[in-house]
Amino acid sequence: MVTRSALIWLSGQEGLKDFAARFKFFKKLTTRFVAGETLDEVIPFIRELNAENCTASFDHLNESVGNADEADKEVREYLKILERIDETRVRSNVSIKLTQFGLGLDAELAYKNARRVVEEAKRRGNFVRVDMEGSDVTQVTIDIFKRLRSEFELNDVGIVLQSYLRRTYADAQELVKLPARIRICKGAYNEPPEVAFPDKKETDHNYVKVMQLLLSSGVYHGVATHDPKMIDATVDFVTREGIGKEKFEFQMLYGVRRDLQRQLARDGYNVRVYVPYGKHWYPYFMRRLAERPANIWFVMKNLVKG
Ligand SMILES: Cc1cc2nc3c(=O)[nH]c(=O)nc-3n(C[C@H](O)[C@H](O)[C@H](O)COP(=O)(O)OP(=O)(O)OC[C@H]3O[C@@H](n4cnc5c(N)ncnc54)[C@H](O)[C@@H]3O)c2cc1C
């Protein structure tokens, strides 16, 4: 638990990124979770996923941009992704982070930037998922999403909720009424016990509760997890309730439990893989290390090998 918090804390220390990037082995390690640095490097991986009956979601890595020009560059990268998806006919949507579009500078700027991407996705018949970040931006992320949702259709834009947050069940109840397409995940940031369950059991319990609420709503939602207990609970629930496999999708991260991704796709479930790419891999990579103690040993082993 201490290691997890420390790694998540380190993920926010941008200064360490340049230090880490100097080690060739570190950069090599990132390829386990990050598909490449450029859009063109990523397309072949998405084709491979599609060939195995998995869809994808592009994520251009660059959280918390420092100025409006950088945010605009991020918008243009996403417009390019949407164009490339059409050109290459890969089966993928996109995931965005509002801090990438300037949320830390000005909420109105982030809304306008996100709107440009949703508008283009709609024009192309694609879909934008708004990722959820730290609890300091949960409310403003939901507010911006609701604004977008009021201007666009259900199948144009969706949001993410995190089961470790105490507020999430109430948020899910409110958002399903819109209706809205929701990805439920456990949550990947350091949060104080006032806002998030400190106990993993409570997070898991809440995950199952929210998953059941979402899948009972008849809207197409995403169940994002690699946890076999959460997957079994989902499979048991849909089987018991007679909810068809085509009514929702499992979602997993690039580089994590590829075996499970393939198995679920073979079993006839919809599976979407979240595929991050870009030069600003540091915070994302550190959060992935934090999720599993064995990942630290993976790094240590490679450090020793040089
Ligand atoms: C598609 C997708 C989108 C996401 N979007 C967001 C988001 O918008 N906001 C947010 O806060 N979080 C997001 N997350 C991350 C999520 O919140 C969790 O941090 C992450 O998925 C780990 O939780 P878990 O459900 O896999 O369960 P855990 O209990 O953490 O893990 C269960 C098992 O999965 C395997 N596993 C999990 N993570 C790893 C890893 N990194 N490396 C190797 N094995 C691993 C291990 O076998 C582990 O024992 C997303 C996750 C997915 C899959």
Side-chain angles (χ1 to χ4, degrees):
M1 199 60 196
V2 172
T3 320
R4 178 180 178 275
S5 303
L7 283 166
I8 298 178
W9 180 80
L10 283 172
S11 77
Q13 307 304 306
E14 273 289 306
L16 287 176
K17 181 182 73 183
D18 296 337
F19 175 74
R22 265 193 262 147
F23 295 94
K24 254 202 202 132
F25 90 92
F26 213 86
K27 206 162 160 225
K28 220 173 90 199
L29 288 184
T30 63
T31 60
R32 159 129 193 240
F33 298 114
V34 179
E37 290 206 343
T38 65
L39 183 50
D40 284 332
E41 277 171 43
V42 180
I43 302 280
F45 290 113
I46 303 220
R47 279 198 210 287
E48 272 175 39
L49 290 167
N50 287 174
E52 288 174 345
N53 270 335
C54 296
T55 53
S57 191
F58 277 95
D59 166 37
H60 184 244
L61 297 169
N62 196 3
E63 302 166 27
S64 306
V65 299
N67 59 55
D69 285 347
E70 261 186 70
D72 181 64
K73 231 171 117 188
E74 287 303 308
V75 173
R76 283 185 279 115
E77 181 73 17
Y78 271 95
L79 301 183
K80 204 165 89 193
I81 298 174
L82 289 163
E83 187 185 344
R84 292 287 284 144
I85 291 174
D86 273 3
E87 280 169 5
T88 57
R89 296 178 178 276
V90 290
R91 284 182 293 133
S92 183
N93 61 30
V94 297
S95 292
I96 62 171
K97 285 188 172 53
L98 293 181
T99 60
Q100 174 172 37
F101 288 164
L103 186 60
L105 309 165
D106 172 14
E108 193 60 22
L109 174 72
Y111 155 72
K112 284 186 181 148
N113 282 336
R115 195 184 188 290
R116 286 163 66 195
V117 178
V118 178
E119 202 168 26
E120 180 66 359
K122 181 183 180 63
R123 196 177 72 75
R124 293 181 179 277
N126 210 320
F127 174 81
V128 178
R129 176 77 64 184
V130 181
D131 283 350
M132 189 55 83
E133 303 177 69
S135 63
D136 53 329
V137 293
T138 305
Q139 191 56 52
V140 65
T141 302
I142 291 177
D143 292 343
I144 291 176
F145 167 73
K146 278 166 89 181
R147 219 169 140 190
L148 291 169
R149 180 63 190 88
S150 70
E151 296 172 279
F152 294 92
E153 307 291 322
L154 174 67
N155 287 327
D156 298 332
V157 61
I159 192 169
V160 179
L161 293 177
Q162 300 149 319
S163 73
Y164 65 9
L165 293 188
R166 296 180 186 276
R167 59 176 286 166
T168 286
Y169 190 76
D171 287 334
Q173 281 179 312
E174 190 197 337
L175 289 168
V176 287
K177 285 190 200 137
L178 289 179
R181 280 175 59 175
I182 296 168
R183 170 200 297 154
I184 180 67
C185 67
K186 290 192 188 179
Y189 297 81
N190 260 349
E191 301 293 357
E194 306 82 74
V195 296
F197 301 115
D199 182 359
K200 192 174 179 313
K201 269 199 203 122
E202 285 180 283
T203 297
D204 289 357
H205 178 71
N206 200 36
Y207 188 102
V208 174
K209 256 176 67 184
V210 176
M211 174 275 290
Q212 293 185 346
L213 172 76
L214 298 185
L215 298 190
S216 303
S217 71
V219 169
Y220 190 87
H221 296 292
V223 178
T225 186
H226 317 90
D227 185 344
K229 287 200 302 297
M230 300 301 108
I231 291 170
D232 288 349
T234 306
V235 169
D236 286 351
F237 182 69
V238 295
T239 308
R240 203 166 61 234
E241 297 296 312
I243 297 168
K245 289 177 178 173
E246 74 290 355
K247 300 281 192 208
F248 70 100
E249 62 187 29
F250 283 114
Q251 300 183 347
M252 295 191 208
L253 300 176
Y254 175 84
V256 181
R257 294 301 311 265
R258 190 74 195 97
D259 54 333
L260 197 51
Q261 296 170 16
R262 288 197 182 104
Q263 187 55 53
L264 287 166
R266 274 199 299 268
D267 290 347
Y269 290 99
N270 292 332
V271 177
R272 187 175 300 277
V273 181
Y274 184 97
V275 183
Y277 78 97
K279 291 189 170 63
H280 302 279
W281 45 262
Y282 178 77
Y284 178 87
F285 177 71
M286 294 301 279
R287 287 199 299 275
R288 299 295 77 80
L289 289 188
E291 276 157 4
R292 193 167 166 249
N295 288 343
I296 315 290
W297 293 113
F298 172 67
V299 171
M300 299 306 267
K301 241 174 25 206
N302 281 276
L303 243 181
V304 172
K305 272 195 221 156

